Amino acid sequence: MTKRTLLILSILYNLAIYGISLGGLYLEEQKEGKMTGDMFLLHVGVAFPFMIIGLIMIGTAVSPDAEGKKRVNRKSVIFGIVLGIGFISYRLGMSLIGE
């Protein structure tokens, strides 16, 4: 699979995951009149592992390649995993510092 194909698929995947989770949350909020933490965890918490997979997919697709190959290889997958874990760690750290 080429990185361009993976990038297109990962963008569509992320749009679908975010749309389903946040769209469901919005519809639930419209029905109830308010949004609670439990409501947020129910809709977004379930989709969180899929969001991490999407982040890793995008990291793999945009990974730099010194050899000039446009195919997905082991190094690009490792780069995507490191980028995904690094971003999640950064966001978690920022949220913990803010409290």
Side-chain angles (χ1 to χ4, degrees), residues 31-89:
K31 185 171 66 173
E32 297 291 324
K34 62 179 180 172
M35 181 175 62
T36 63
D38 292 336
M39 203 185 293
F40 179 79
L41 287 177
L42 178 66
H43 288 281
V44 178
V46 173
F48 189 70
F50 297 106
M51 292 176 183
I52 292 174
I53 291 170
L55 182 64
I56 291 172
M57 286 172 57
I58 286 185
T60 301
V62 299
S63 66
D65 194 7
E67 299 160 2
K69 297 179 182 176
K70 303 224 181 252
R71 312 277 295 156
V72 175
N73 56 19
R74 184 173 179 231
K75 287 182 184 178
S76 61
V77 171
I78 292 172
F79 179 83
I81 291 170
V82 168
L83 184 70
I85 291 172
F87 179 75
I88 295 298
S89 300

